[in-house]
Amino acid sequence: MGGEGSSMPSHDEETVASTFGTSGCGRRNPPSDRQTKWLHEWNRIFLLMCAAGLVVDPLFFYALSISSTCMCLFVDGWFAVTVTTLRCMTDAVHLLNMCLQLAITYDAAPRSSLEEKDASAGRAMAHSQSYLRSKTGFLLDLFIILPVPQVVLWVVAPAMLCQGMTSTVMTVFLISFLSQYLPKVYHSVCFLRRLQNSLGYIFGNIWGGIALNLIAYFVASHAAGACWYLLGIQRATECLKQQCVATDGCRNRTVACADPMYYGTTGATIDGERLAWAKNLHVRSMCLDSSDNFEYGSYKWVVNLVTNPNRLEKVLFPIFWGLMTLSTFGTIESTTEWVEITFNIIIVTSALLLVTTLIGNIKVFLHATTSKKQALHSKLRSLDRWMRRRNLPFGIRQRVRQYERQRWAAMRGVDEFEMARRLPEGVRRDIKYHLCLDLVRQVPLFQHMDELVLENICDRVKSLLIPKGETVIREGDPVRRMLFVVRGHLQSSQVVRDGVKSYCMLGPGNFSGDELLSWCLIRQFGERLPPSSSMLVAAESTEAFGLDANDLKYVTQHFRYTFVSERVKRSARYYSPGWRTWAAVAIQLAWWRYKHRLTLTSLSFIRPRRPLSGCSSMEEDKLRLYTALLTSPKPNQDDFTV
């Protein structure tokens, strides 16, 4: 039994190599992200099919049954057909996986040029040989899909029953089952470990790990219950054979049915010997009606199953016995027979190991689920005590609690940058590119920049979470960073005159702090940061990237040619809230001037009764207002001059 691990590879090539078991050679052409994602999905499906194969194999035991009317052993034909079909389906999936492994190992070597054709063929051959020679490779995959249980069920068992070898057929079933089932378990465990090393959490979360442990526990209980049923029906058959020996005119073949493969209708005629055996009430009471007249030991519950025609009950009850026994809630009674004692010892030992492993793994998973929440509650309690001791106002306390809860909900208690800080520089840089490079590309200001500039920007941006109603910056405060909105909205407000404000809403793709960009592009910039021309307030919970002044200065100095291009200038002016406000004021002022001129032209033929300068109309008031707006803080027209 195994849970989901937490180690992660640094490259996709390690993922593919560990997943498909190609050891000994590296890959130079790793698959694309789409191919890697497809391989991961296939590996998850194949892992579930491995579990399904472990469930199907024990079902072969339930094909053996004892007739309640004739008191003879037979093979349930329709049940055998069903189980064989399921086994062939799982074997087909295993065979498809083997073909994919061979295809992956053959494509592992690069074939980029004609000169490397021979070398590529040699590397492909080396990859194929590494899979073929691996102890968990081709030979093991081929062995676990051999039709051993099908041959035993359809060929060996009927032939042995025709000869009256009723007890031996169970032994053959058990040996053939263990010889292939144990390697199949080993194969599944190795495959699970490789997936853990390459994917970490195989199904993406902790609950997937708990589900895998429960599935493994169920499979173990199912296998134990099937073996218990097989040994129990063997004990019942031995009881019938002992009674047959003590009965006159009874032979060993009488204990085996005339039709070893029974489909519900019999084609053979029942002779007098079998008919007399079927009517023997003493044998029926000794072996089949009750478990008190014969030493069944730990198999006494099987007596009610061996003659039960209901196939579902015949399968579910041994599973229940396996779950109850492996969870140590069941009591096992045993006789002095060495096979039964050995079986009971294996069951008890396995129960101890399985229960200990299951409880330990689930405890680890549940602790990983609840530990972060407990850490959040502990942190909030510490913050409450500190804020109460400092007599902070109730409003500030609420803001602090809201920020911590929103930050935990967004990050799930994981500090990404703190985790990445401990990694090597190359891995840390690649992780940061993966997390924020696509989001940085969504900012219109950066859409016309090359990859080198974007990577340097992405290497320096910081992720920010702004709660609803939080003031980001006030008008007149020094601008310490540029903000690029990823999710949510920020409200920008600017005081024009006498309490009149202009408002602008910044959504995903917009940015603020263009004053800092203008300051960085000036040739002789000072150490004083530029003042903010507007006030920013979070209209809702907002996620954004922040680029500090020193980082922005570094980028603009080293890649100045990018920021002075005409396309970047137009993008900066178009998406800048300051330029937008000024442009809106200028357009409105020009419109009102135009309307005022039209009004004066239409009234020019009328002689006014009093001077026009003395009239106070609404249009003139609005004209004065927008004239004042025109004198509002205006973006520097030389912001992007070199």
Side-chain angles (χ1 to χ4, degrees):
M1 181 186 304
E4 296 192 13
S6 58
S7 59
M8 298 293 293
S10 58
H11 298 286
D12 288 339
E13 57 188 19
E14 295 179 6
T15 301
V16 176
S18 60
T19 302
F20 286 92
T22 54
S23 59
C25 297
R27 289 190 58 168
R28 295 187 180 180
N29 289 336
S32 61
D33 293 339
R34 186 175 180 181
Q35 292 175 339
T36 303
K37 184 178 180 181
W38 182 86
L39 290 175
H40 291 167
E41 293 299 329
W42 167 255
N43 290 332
R44 295 186 181 99
I45 295 174
F46 182 69
L47 179 63
L48 295 178
M49 292 305 300
C50 290
L54 295 177
V55 173
V56 169
D57 282 1
L59 294 177
F60 282 89
F61 292 166
Y62 299 104
L64 294 174
S65 183
I66 295 179
S67 175
S68 60
T69 57
C70 299
M71 293 191 297
C72 58
L73 184 67
F74 69 95
V75 177
D76 190 345
W78 291 117
F79 191 84
V81 170
T82 304
V83 176
T84 303
T85 304
L86 294 176
R87 171 59 190 259
C88 292
M89 293 172 60
T90 58
D91 288 345
V93 177
H94 276 274
L95 186 61
L96 178 59
N97 185 68
M98 292 172 60
C99 296
L100 288 177
Q101 290 182 16
L102 291 174
I104 291 294
T105 54
Y106 181 76
D107 293 338
R111 294 182 292 274
S112 58
S113 62
L114 190 60
E115 290 79 6
E116 294 183 353
K117 184 176 181 179
D118 296 337
S120 301
R123 282 189 289 268
M125 183 62 67
H127 280 275
S128 300
Q129 291 179 356
S130 66
Y131 168 64
L132 294 175
R133 296 177 180 177
S134 175
K135 63 179 181 179
T136 59
F138 178 79
L139 293 179
L140 182 59
D141 291 340
L142 182 62
F143 178 76
I144 62 177
I145 64 173
L146 292 178
V148 176
Q150 294 96 311
V151 173
V152 172
L153 181 62
W154 290 96
V155 179
V156 178
M160 296 180 69
L161 289 179
C162 290
Q163 297 178 5
M165 304 170 63
T166 52
S167 297
T168 310
V169 70
M170 283 80 160
T171 305
V172 173
F173 258 100
L174 185 61
I175 294 176
S176 62
F177 168 77
L178 294 177
S179 63
Q180 194 174 43
Y181 195 78
L182 295 179
K184 185 174 288 189
V185 171
Y186 175 73
H187 174 271
S188 301
V189 171
C190 292
F191 186 76
L192 175 64
R193 294 304 182 188
R194 290 198 296 268
L195 281 185
Q196 290 174 354
N197 294 332
S198 61
L199 297 179
Y201 289 120
I202 297 177
F203 293 99
N205 51 39
I206 296 174
W207 298 108
I210 296 178
L212 279 180
N213 279 269
L214 293 178
I215 290 174
Y217 193 73
F218 173 81
V219 170
S221 302
H222 175 49
C227 294
W228 173 74
Y229 173 82
L230 182 69
L231 295 176
I233 198 173
Q234 186 181 32
R235 182 63 59 86
T237 305
E238 290 177 356
C239 177
L240 292 176
K241 290 179 65 176
Q242 291 181 11
Q243 295 299 323
C244 181
V245 172
T247 303
D248 296 334
C250 180
R251 297 176 299 173
N252 289 334
R253 292 186 179 182
T254 308
V255 182
C257 293
D259 289 333
M261 192 68 67
Y262 182 68
Y263 292 95
T265 57
T266 179
T269 58
I270 302 178
D271 53 10
E273 179 183 348
R274 295 182 183 275
L275 186 60
W277 172 256
K279 293 181 179 180
N280 194 329
L281 299 180
H282 174 72
V283 175
R284 188 181 300 274
S285 62
M286 287 292 295
C287 298
L288 301 181
D289 289 345
S290 176
S291 60
D292 298 332
N293 299 323
F294 186 77
E295 292 184 356
Y296 279 98
S298 58
Y299 312 121
K300 62 180 181 179
W301 289 356
V302 184
V303 178
N304 299 324
L305 290 178
V306 294
T307 58
N308 191 348
N310 193 321
R311 299 181 180 93
L312 184 61
E313 293 179 359
K314 189 181 294 186
V315 174
L316 291 180
F317 191 81
I319 295 177
F320 165 73
W321 181 89
L323 288 172
M324 183 179 62
T325 305
L326 293 183
S327 60
T328 67
F329 291 108
T331 57
I332 300 178
E333 299 179 2
S334 179
T335 62
T336 57
E337 187 180 4
W338 70 271
V339 176
E340 184 179 356
I341 294 175
T342 304
F343 175 73
N344 292 336
I345 291 175
I346 294 175
I347 290 296
V348 172
T349 307
S350 302
L352 179 62
L353 295 176
L354 288 173
V355 169
T356 305
T357 306
L358 177 67
I359 294 176
N361 287 339
I362 292 182
K363 181 180 179 181
V364 170
F365 290 135
L366 293 179
H367 176 72
T369 305
T370 59
S371 60
K372 296 183 177 62
K373 292 184 179 180
Q374 293 175 357
L376 173 64
H377 295 328
S378 177
K379 185 176 182 180
L380 289 178
R381 287 193 295 268
S382 300
L383 285 174
D384 286 337
R385 288 194 295 267
W386 174 77
M387 291 186 293
R388 232 181 275 114
R389 188 170 64 252
R390 294 297 182 180
N391 295 324
L392 295 181
F394 179 76
I396 296 180
R397 296 183 190 178
Q398 287 294 105
R399 288 165 59 187
V400 172
R401 296 191 194 99
Q402 181 183 5
Y403 170 75
E404 289 296 335
R405 289 193 177 95
Q406 290 183 358
R407 185 171 179 270
W408 188 90
M411 302 298 181
R412 290 298 177 184
V414 178
D415 191 349
E416 297 178 351
F417 291 96
E418 180 63 24
M419 292 179 62
R421 188 178 62 85
R422 304 173 183 177
L423 299 175
E425 183 178 356
V427 179
R428 182 173 66 248
R429 183 176 61 250
D430 293 341
I431 292 175
K432 204 166 186 180
Y433 290 167
H434 175 75
L435 292 177
C436 65
L437 191 57
D438 292 337
L439 297 176
V440 169
R441 285 196 184 101
Q442 295 177 8
V443 178
L445 180 61
F446 300 145
Q447 288 180 352
H448 306 296
M449 298 183 182
D450 53 20
E451 290 290 330
L452 183 60
V453 181
L454 293 180
E455 289 178 358
N456 278 270
I457 293 175
C458 185
D459 195 29
R460 288 164 176 80
V461 296
K462 298 177 181 178
S463 179
L464 300 175
L465 180 64
I466 308 172
K468 180 181 178 180
E470 191 69 22
T471 300
V472 181
I473 191 172
R474 295 174 297 183
E475 186 174 354
D477 288 347
V479 182
R480 302 184 182 276
R481 64 167 64 95
M482 287 188 71
L483 290 180
F484 305 95
V485 182
V486 178
R487 297 181 185 88
H489 290 83
L490 298 175
Q491 186 183 57
S492 174
S493 61
Q494 182 179 4
V495 178
V496 180
R497 62 179 289 274
D498 298 335
V500 179
K501 292 184 178 181
S502 63
Y503 293 92
C504 179
M505 192 66 69
L506 306 181
N510 296 122
F511 64 93
S512 67
D514 50 313
E515 302 91 349
L516 190 61
L517 181 61
S518 305
W519 174 75
C520 290
L521 290 174
I522 299 175
R523 284 187 176 276
Q524 300 296 329
F525 53 82
E527 294 299 328
R528 293 179 55 187
L529 296 174
S532 175
S533 59
S534 61
M535 179 178 178
L536 280 181
V537 180
E540 58 181 339
S541 181
T542 305
E543 293 183 25
F545 283 125
L547 191 60
D548 292 338
N550 292 331
D551 297 328
L552 182 61
K553 186 192 301 184
Y554 172 85
V555 174
T556 53
Q557 281 183 345
H558 287 77
F559 306 100
R560 193 177 187 86
Y561 66 91
T562 301
F563 289 90
V564 298
S565 64
E566 290 297 329
R567 300 175 71 179
V568 176
K569 287 182 183 180
R570 288 194 295 267
S571 297
R573 291 178 179 176
Y574 181 78
Y575 290 98
S576 169
W579 277 92
R580 284 188 169 188
T581 303
W582 182 84
V585 170
I587 292 172
Q588 293 177 15
L589 177 60
W591 171 251
W592 284 110
R593 281 180 174 176
Y594 173 71
K595 289 190 64 176
H596 185 66
R597 285 199 302 269
L598 288 180
T599 303
L600 293 180
T601 303
S602 62
L603 299 178
S604 60
F605 62 92
I606 301 176
R607 184 183 298 275
R609 296 181 180 179
R610 56 181 179 177
L612 292 175
S613 60
C615 66
S616 178
S617 62
M618 184 181 299
E619 287 78 5
E620 291 176 350
D621 292 340
K622 290 183 178 180
L623 184 61
R624 293 191 187 97
L625 175 61
Y626 284 103
T627 303
L629 289 175
L630 187 61
T631 62
S632 63
K634 176 181 176 183
N636 187 7
Q637 297 182 359
D638 299 328
D639 283 346
F640 299 97
T641 58
V642 186

